[in-house]
Amino acid sequence: MRRVLSVGVMAVAIVLWPSAAFAHPLGNFTINVYSGIHLLPGEVRIDYVVDMAEIPTFQEMPNVDADGDGTASDAERATWADHTAPKLLSNLRLSVGDRSVELHVLSSSMRLGPGQGGLSILRLEATFGGSVADVGTIRYRDDNYPGRIGWREITAVGEDGAAVERSSVPADSVSDALLSYPRDLLSSPPRVTEATVSYGPGVSLPAAPEPGTQVPGGARAGVAGGAFADLVSRTGLPLVALSILLAVGFGALHALGPGHGKTLMAVYLVGSGGRVRQAAAVGGAVAVMHTASVLALGLMVLSAERLFPPERVYPWLGLASGLVAVGLGAGLLVSRLAAWGSARRHELEHEGGPGHELGHVHAAPDEPVLSRRSLTALAVAGGILPSPTALVVLLASVAFHRVVFGLALIAAFSVGLAAALMAVGVLALRARDVVSRRMSSRWAQLVPVVSAGAIVAFGLVLMVRGFAQL
């Protein structure tokens, strides 16, 4: 038995042992851009950096891997950088006074770093330069990747006898040119795309360090779900089988995190007078919807002929989830208010009558608490937002030609998700029964009403958040 346990522990350790891969700290969808403006006597130089997370890198790789052999050679990376740098430059605007400054590509390079699920993250570094007067005011604007979320940062410094007198942007990069993102800014990254800088002859500040002195990803902070995404790269029948079991556990843990409709599901079951079988049905429906949304978004990414920003789908899905939740809660609230009013009328009619005690309420006849329409609405409201990590697993399985294994991991993940949601629903029902037994009948009648109102409030929050992200 000890040997069996030892082998099991070793297998789990091998599967979960951290590899040299890190999830992008800003999320799997982001494209992050940095512009470092350097002013010299008669010259301006811009150090330009693009840092792509796993999903945009996956979308860009067919353009990098020209021969389609699955590997980006040094020559292919250099060719891609040489073609991409002028395209990025065409979307930059720089002027001194009323005169536009013509910029040229001085250098460009690209490298790939390890990302989540065995996918890569891409880093492009380019230097642009042009001639300017010795004194003036520069206006700079970056119009690249307008539809993509991510970090946008600009800095400006003077060098070799040129000094910055006034500037709308700082001299130092808080992210070390997108190499080390501050943790306290990850939830609300800066989005600076314009800069105004006045300069002239003077004492220069020490020059900022050149970008690219660190390996991308080497000091990155991981995000939740990295261990699940890493399972797709495991090989060997024992590890594959163990990975599928672990995916079930990761799905359960994922369901217990923020979102995924567990609050909505629990409140609806309490408010509608649900039973254990309804909790099982709702948990399964939410998990199926969640899996379907992952597959749908994955197909959308894979079938896009050009770079498609999949993260832009999320606010619309959140808005749709909120609308469905509001409709579901409003319908339940109307029915529960009507039932509560009817019960109060019965109570008032029988108060003081022969054979009746004060506060007695006739039990309402049983009614269906979970129609197909309600089940569908709960599944949409709770499961329509796909997991970014599960999407990474799907894309990684396609990249590694392990689609069947990737689908098995996602299915196992959904099983764990469903099990956890069912458990939450059952616990909510048990808690409702315990509380109802300890409350007077009059107050117990208000529990479904309050629960329905909470669903409406939950849906409004989702709607507001979706509108804010559009």
Side-chain angles (χ1 to χ4, degrees):
M1 180 60 68
R2 290 183 178 178
R3 291 183 179 180
V4 173
L5 291 175
S6 298
V7 171
V9 171
M10 289 176 62
V12 173
I14 291 172
V15 173
L16 296 180
W17 187 263
S19 62
F22 297 83
H24 197 284
L26 290 173
N28 308 116
F29 295 103
T30 55
I31 295 181
N32 311 286
V33 180
Y34 165 76
S35 298
I37 302 174
H38 298 259
L39 291 162
L40 299 84
E43 180 185 358
V44 62
R45 189 179 74 244
I46 299 174
D47 290 333
Y48 199 80
V49 179
V50 177
D51 176 27
M52 292 187 182
E54 290 86 351
I55 290 176
T57 298
F58 176 88
Q59 294 178 288
E60 191 62 39
M61 283 306 295
N63 298 323
V64 178
D65 182 17
D67 58 11
D69 65 351
T71 302
S73 64
D74 293 344
E76 287 174 331
R77 294 198 302 271
T79 299
W80 181 86
D82 290 342
H83 282 84
T84 303
K87 295 179 182 178
L88 296 172
L89 179 59
S90 66
N91 293 318
L92 302 182
R93 304 289 181 265
L94 191 146
S95 62
V96 177
D98 296 330
R99 184 178 69 87
S100 297
V101 176
E102 184 178 1
L103 297 172
H104 306 278
V105 179
L106 303 180
S107 65
S108 63
S109 64
M110 185 270 275
R111 63 178 182 264
L112 299 171
Q116 195 178 59
L119 296 177
S120 298
I121 53 179
L122 183 153
R123 181 179 175 89
L124 168 76
E125 296 174 359
T127 302
F128 308 129
S131 300
V132 296
D134 291 339
V135 61
T137 298
I138 279 182
R139 290 177 176 82
Y140 173 78
R141 188 176 80 249
D142 183 358
D143 293 329
N144 283 304
Y145 307 109
R148 304 303 298 247
I149 62 173
W151 190 285
R152 299 290 185 272
E153 185 182 3
I154 301 174
T155 62
V157 295
E159 299 176 9
D160 298 337
V164 171
E165 298 171 352
R166 291 184 303 277
S167 175
S168 63
V169 295
D172 297 321
S173 170
V174 296
S175 67
D176 191 17
L178 308 185
L179 286 169
S180 180
Y181 295 92
R183 291 179 180 271
D184 58 343
L185 296 179
L186 294 183
S187 60
S188 56
R191 192 169 184 87
V192 181
T193 58
E194 297 182 357
T196 302
V197 184
S198 298
Y199 68 97
V203 178
S204 304
L205 295 174
E210 292 292 330
T213 57
Q214 303 177 29
V215 178
R220 294 185 186 274
V223 295
F228 170 53
D230 196 42
L231 294 178
V232 75
S233 62
R234 304 303 177 183
T235 58
L237 185 59
L239 290 182
V240 167
L242 184 58
S243 296
I244 292 176
L245 292 176
L246 289 172
V248 175
F250 286 129
L253 291 175
H254 190 63
L256 298 178
H260 303 293
K262 59 182 176 299
T263 303
L264 176 65
M265 180 189 72
V267 174
Y268 186 85
L269 289 172
V270 170
S272 62
R275 298 293 182 264
V276 172
R277 65 178 181 273
Q278 278 87 32
V282 173
V286 171
V288 169
M289 176 59 70
H290 182 265
T291 302
S293 64
V294 171
L295 297 179
L297 187 57
L299 291 175
M300 190 181 300
V301 172
L302 292 170
S303 62
E305 296 182 359
R306 57 181 180 176
L307 198 62
F308 173 77
E311 71 274 12
R312 290 300 175 189
V313 176
Y314 276 75
W316 291 103
L317 294 180
L319 182 60
S321 177
L323 286 170
V324 172
V326 169
L328 189 67
L332 183 62
L333 181 61
V334 170
S335 66
R336 289 308 165 187
L337 283 174
W340 179 72
S342 177
R344 288 293 296 152
R345 285 194 297 273
H346 278 291
E347 182 179 348
L348 293 175
E349 290 174 359
H350 292 85
E351 280 183 359
H356 291 84
E357 297 180 0
L358 184 64
H360 176 74
V361 181
H362 288 286
D366 291 336
E367 58 181 76
V369 296
L370 192 63
S371 64
R372 290 184 178 180
R373 181 179 299 177
S374 298
L375 181 63
T376 302
L378 280 172
V380 171
I384 197 173
L385 287 172
S387 164
T389 306
L391 179 60
V392 168
V393 169
L394 178 63
L395 298 180
S397 68
V398 172
F400 299 149
H401 306 289
R402 308 185 73 191
V403 177
V404 174
F405 182 41
L407 292 176
L409 287 175
I410 294 174
F413 185 85
S414 297
V415 169
L417 181 71
L421 291 177
M422 292 175 191
V424 169
V426 171
L427 288 175
L429 294 178
R430 293 289 181 260
R432 178 203 61 188
D433 294 340
V434 171
V435 172
S436 297
R437 285 195 296 266
R438 297 184 178 182
M439 297 174 66
S440 66
S441 59
R442 181 175 300 178
W443 287 107
Q445 295 165 22
L446 288 176
V447 172
V449 177
V450 174
S451 299
I455 295 175
V456 175
F458 180 81
L460 290 174
V461 170
L462 290 178
M463 289 177 58
V464 170
R465 187 168 61 184
F467 272 121
Q469 294 174 347
L470 290 179

